Amino acid sequence: MIDRSELVSSESSAAPRARAGQAALELERVSRRSPGFYQRAWRIFRRNRVSMVALGVVILIIAFVLGADLVSEYITGYDYRRGELGEQFKPPFTDGHILGTDANGRDVLTRLAYGGRVSLLIAGLASLTIVVVGGGVGAVAGFFGGPVDAVAMRLVDVLLSIPSLPLLILFASLYRPGPVGLAFILAAVGWTGVARLVRGEVLSLRERDFVDAARVLGASNARIITRHIFPNVIPIIVVWVSLAIPGFILTEAALSFLGLGVKVPTPSWGNMLQGARDYYTRSWTNVFIPGFMIYITVLAISLVGKGLRDALDPRLNE
Amino acid sequence: MIAFIIRRVLVMVPILFGITFLTFAIVNLVPGSPVDSLKLNPRTRPEDIERIKRNLGLDRPWHERYFVWLSGAVRGDFGISLSNNTPVLDRLLGVLPNTLLLTGAALVTALLISVPLGVLSAVKHNTAFDHAVTVLATAIASIPSFWLALLLILLFATQFPAWGLPGLPVNGMRDLRGDSGLFDRLEHMVLPVASLALVQIAGWTRFIRSSMLETIRQDFVRTAYAKGLPRRIVLYVHAFRNALLPLVTLVGLAIPELFGGAYLIEQIFAWNGAGRLTFQAAQSNDYPLIMGATLMFAVLTMVGNLLADILYAVLDPRIRYD
């Protein structure tokens, strides 16, 4: 890759550099003629002001939860595990507790950062897993068709016929998983959507000329799937995942809220809500704050997802 | 059409087998069994536990038990609930009406609000009203329903009485002390139904808006204008009816979502429904009850989708299933 910005800026400097500047302009012109797919997508995305703001919010939230140790060390000065029983239900902005304290006298802002880390990591891990499993099953089913396809799609039908929350409750209450296990359980129930999507896309892609061309050149099935079909499926997977992550965050929160997800003392936004629920008459901020974080995160990620869909879905760009 | 229905019902049979098999495997392959809680009592003798296990049929391998369960289920016998010795079917049928009441009321409420909002928003396309509806719908669609329920409780059950306003009840389906008339029952429904309906309202309003926008661009709408029909008739009779068609599918797809939502809402508001019962069953390793409840939810979901497909064909003569 040539760093174009540097070449372009050199154009304005002294005369001997003029030729280099000319070359740079030429390069700029040539490359502008056919911007890459993702470059064009980024241009479309950038124009969408709502999605850009949402992206900023998402980045802030991620920084906040990944920097939980820093928040605890420098901003609040409290440990997320330790509470003072005499300090219960402090309202926000008292005694250095920026967002107050919970039923065990623990600092809410600190727990919010650590809890968010758990919630977001679970959603991220679950998304990664459904991409691998769902994408893999969908690609194989769509590419090979026949009995493989039939078996895989019947399995998808079965899983789609069970409302997912009951199934998750069943899994979670029988297996009592930790955070990582919870991510895999979410993925185990949620991979069917991706599988169906990828299968449909692969079904239409495998009939295209470039696949025939690759086959004529002697490419193996594995090579065709990974090198020719997979890159074409990435955009829809990206869009789907960005729209699925909010769902995972919500479901994890719901399960933790029911006491089936992340177990105390590990904080998560869902179990912070659960803890606050019994004492809602004592402190409304404890109920409001974790739910609000879930809400803002889910909203911001879905708005980014919508921007991505507009930018990456070729059917809308025509 | 008849052939289509028969084929769809026939397809449901293997799917139902799949669901029961999968659930049975999930439930039985975990460590832990319904008799585990008996071991907590040190006075229970091991041979008693063995005897109870044998009586319940739990000493046999799980695939064998699956066929025992299946042969009963096919004949309408779903076994006995382990937690209170009542037939599973009775327990489920006892709470199903409550869940249907809750989800049904939420469905109707959501439709009654989202359809007019969506249509008006499309008719007044690009006005302040339209923008307000779109922004609100986007903002509301992401609210977690259980958080919304807690906020509603905070506002209507604790703040309203504190301000001297009449509060709303948040526990159960009726007042257990009073004579609990119709008004009392309705009062108990307000908050759970609102929590369940609001997110659907947001989603459906957006959907109906875009469906209506698409419809008013079609040729038959221009024709209707061209033959001199008033705008009101064209929009609210010709376009409206066609814009609503895709909603049928959407409502069908929302059924599992509503049941899922009811799980949480029933839990929060102590609503004696099927979701709450299943939750308790899962908590107490009540295998037969878990199996029955999962099967029931699956059947309800599939029947809902089938009804949506049939209704779609009935309403839209362009659709032919054959």
Side-chain angles (χ1 to χ4, degrees), chain A residues 157-159 161-163 165-166 169-171 173-176 250 253-254 257-258 260 273 277 280-281 284 287-288 291-292 294-295 298-299 302-303 306, chain B residues 15 18-19 22-23 26-27 30 138-139 142-144 146-147 150-151 153-154 158 206 256 260 263-264 267-268 279 282-283 285 290 294 297-298 301-302:
Chain A
D157 281 342
V158 168
L159 283 174
S161 303
I162 313 178
L165 197 62
I169 289 175
L170 193 59
F171 263 125
S173 48
L174 292 172
Y175 287 90
R176 310 218 162 263
L250 279 178
F257 176 71
L258 288 173
L260 298 172
L273 257 184
R277 177 189 162 195
Y280 67 88
T281 48
W284 68 270
V287 175
F288 183 80
F292 187 72
I294 299 172
Y295 170 55
V298 166
L299 182 62
S302 10
L303 289 175
K306 253 192 231 157
Chain B
I15 292 183
I19 290 170
L22 215 65
T23 318
I26 293 169
V27 171
V30 284
T138 309
S142 297
I143 295 185
F146 51 98
W147 183 54
L150 293 179
L151 292 184
I153 290 175
L154 273 177
T158 64
R206 283 192 295 188
Y263 256 73
L264 286 162
Q267 202 65 27
I268 294 173
F279 180 74
Q283 293 282 298
N285 279 335
I290 293 173
T294 312
F297 276 119
T301 305
M302 284 198 280

Side-chain angles (χ1 to χ4, degrees), chain B residues 60-76:
Chain B
R60 285 188 281 173
W62 71 272
H63 53 269
E64 239 174 76
R65 276 186 283 135
Y66 174 66
F67 287 108
V68 172
W69 179 86
L70 191 64
S71 75
V74 173
R75 285 171 282 155

Side-chain angles (χ1 to χ4, degrees), chain A residues 68 114-115 138 144 191 212 219 270:
Chain A
Y114 282 95
F144 292 105
W191 62 274
D212 288 337

Side-chain angles (χ1 to χ4, degrees), chain B residues 266-309:
Chain B
E266 284 176 4
Q267 202 65 27
I268 294 173
F269 290 99
W271 189 271
N272 187 21
R276 196 153 167 266
L277 182 68
T278 319
F279 180 74
Q280 289 161 357
Q283 293 282 298
S284 59
N285 279 335
D286 192 341
Y287 295 171
L289 192 53
I290 293 173
M291 290 302 299
T294 312
L295 189 60
M296 183 182 76
F297 276 119
V299 169
L300 285 174
T301 305
M302 284 198 280
V303 169
N305 285 336
L306 179 61
L307 283 181
D309 281 355

